Amino acid sequence: LVCRETACLSRADRLRVDALLVADLPLLSDRELVARARQTGYRLDPHSVVERASRAESDRRVTIRPAPDTMALVSALLPVAQGVALYAALTQEADRARAAGDPRSRGQVMADTLVCRTTGQVVAEAVGVEIQLVISDEALLAGGDAPARLVGHGPVPAGVARRLVECASDAERATLRRLYVRPPDGALVAMESKQRTFPAGLRRFIETRDEVCRTPWCGAPIRHIDHVVPAQAGGGTSAGNGQGLCEQ
């Protein structure tokens, strides 16, 4: 923890921090140790600490990853003032809603408020985006149990997929692109093109089919669509000869 908090300092200043903290190490908790190391480092070389903070602000970002039970975990790395302001606004709205008799829990109100204020929609469930849902006609129309696949997330139960379709229809602002699978093996219907570069429709098809980079053991998000057999070697611009690849 001390090394992490003093990484921006010179070697001489890092040694001075060690010397100043060593006697108190057995008495400090992790949080107290981080605070002391940060304060001591700033006292010795404030310029380096401020420069490090400026670089950290340039790394602000938002990420998403799948969570169990058809949930998603969205994380934001923000400057501390912005992060505290964001959390305070959500907390204030949750307290107001609960005081007015809202039956949702405090956490539910905060999550729904974040969705509504970020997307501009009135109700959190009325997601105003295109839902690319890979599903069989039996699961969609006949109440089947075969799981669907939500692009960017993964497999979802057939009942959840049907509910997504219903919410998209009720909202009247979300479009649904249904990509039907072949019953025997679950493969998507093929597409091909005479162009050397992959047209938009075929690109979206391959992105939906592959989900993540086709490089073995990669699993990163798809950023490019390229030929398996190069075009100059006679490879066609088709779904069978197309592959989704990451930025690298």
Side-chain angles (χ1 to χ4, degrees), residues 48-133:
S48 295
V49 175
V50 172
E51 185 180 354
R52 174 180 175 175
S54 299
R55 290 198 304 268
E57 287 189 9
S58 66
D59 291 333
R60 60 190 183 276
R61 60 187 179 274
V62 177
T63 58
I64 183 173
R65 64 179 184 271
D69 303 323
T70 64
M71 301 290 283
L73 185 63
V74 179
S75 303
L77 181 63
L78 302 172
V80 62
Q82 297 177 21
V84 171
L86 171 63
Y87 190 81
L90 297 176
T91 302
Q92 183 178 7
E93 177 60 21
D95 293 341
R96 184 203 63 77
R98 293 286 291 169
D102 196 311
R104 294 173 295 173
S105 69
R106 196 164 181 266
Q108 289 172 340
V109 175
M110 293 174 69
D112 293 347
T113 302
L114 177 62
V115 172
C116 292
R117 292 188 178 179
T118 304
T119 62
Q121 59 201 45
V122 179
V123 181
E125 290 79 9
V127 180
V129 298
E130 179 187 78
I131 302 173
Q132 294 195 62
L133 192 66

Side-chain angles (χ1 to χ4, degrees), residues 18-216:
D18 288 344
L20 292 170
L21 295 182
V22 63
D24 295 331
L25 283 179
L27 307 176
L28 298 175
S29 67
D30 286 355
R31 179 175 295 183
E32 291 171 333
L33 178 60
V34 167
R36 286 280 298 276
R38 187 176 299 164
Q39 292 169 1
T40 306
Y42 181 79
R43 189 170 66 249
L44 294 175
D45 188 356
H47 177 74
S48 295
V49 175
V50 172
E51 185 180 354
R52 174 180 175 175
S54 299
R55 290 198 304 268
E57 287 189 9
S58 66
D59 291 333
R60 60 190 183 276
R61 60 187 179 274
V62 177
T63 58
I64 183 173
R65 64 179 184 271
D69 303 323
T70 64
M71 301 290 283
L73 185 63
V74 179
S75 303
L77 181 63
L78 302 172
V80 62
Q82 297 177 21
V84 171
L86 171 63
Y87 190 81
L90 297 176
T91 302
Q92 183 178 7
E93 177 60 21
D95 293 341
R96 184 203 63 77
R98 293 286 291 169
D102 196 311
R104 294 173 295 173
S105 69
R106 196 164 181 266
Q108 289 172 340
V109 175
M110 293 174 69
D112 293 347
T113 302
L114 177 62
V115 172
C116 292
R117 292 188 178 179
T118 304
T119 62
Q121 59 201 45
V122 179
V123 181
E125 290 79 9
V127 180
V129 298
E130 179 187 78
I131 302 173
Q132 294 195 62
L133 192 66
V134 182
I135 189 171
S136 68
D137 53 356
E138 180 182 357
L140 179 63
L141 304 175
D145 295 326
R149 180 162 56 86
L150 188 60
V151 176
H153 177 82
V156 296
V160 174
R162 286 192 289 269
R163 190 163 67 247
L164 284 173
V165 175
E166 182 180 356
C167 290
S169 301
D170 291 343
E172 296 183 353
R173 56 191 297 264
T175 58
L176 178 71
R177 181 180 297 273
R178 290 181 289 268
L179 297 99
Y180 289 100
V181 297
R182 191 166 56 205
D185 56 8
L188 292 173
V189 178
M191 296 176 63
E192 61 180 11
S193 171
K194 298 300 184 184
Q195 301 180 28
R196 175 167 178 158
T197 58
F198 288 84
L202 186 53
R203 289 179 60 88
R204 297 182 69 178
F205 178 88
I206 295 174
E207 290 172 352
T208 302
R209 180 196 66 190
D210 291 354
E211 289 196 274
V212 296
C213 177
R214 289 274 292 273
T215 303

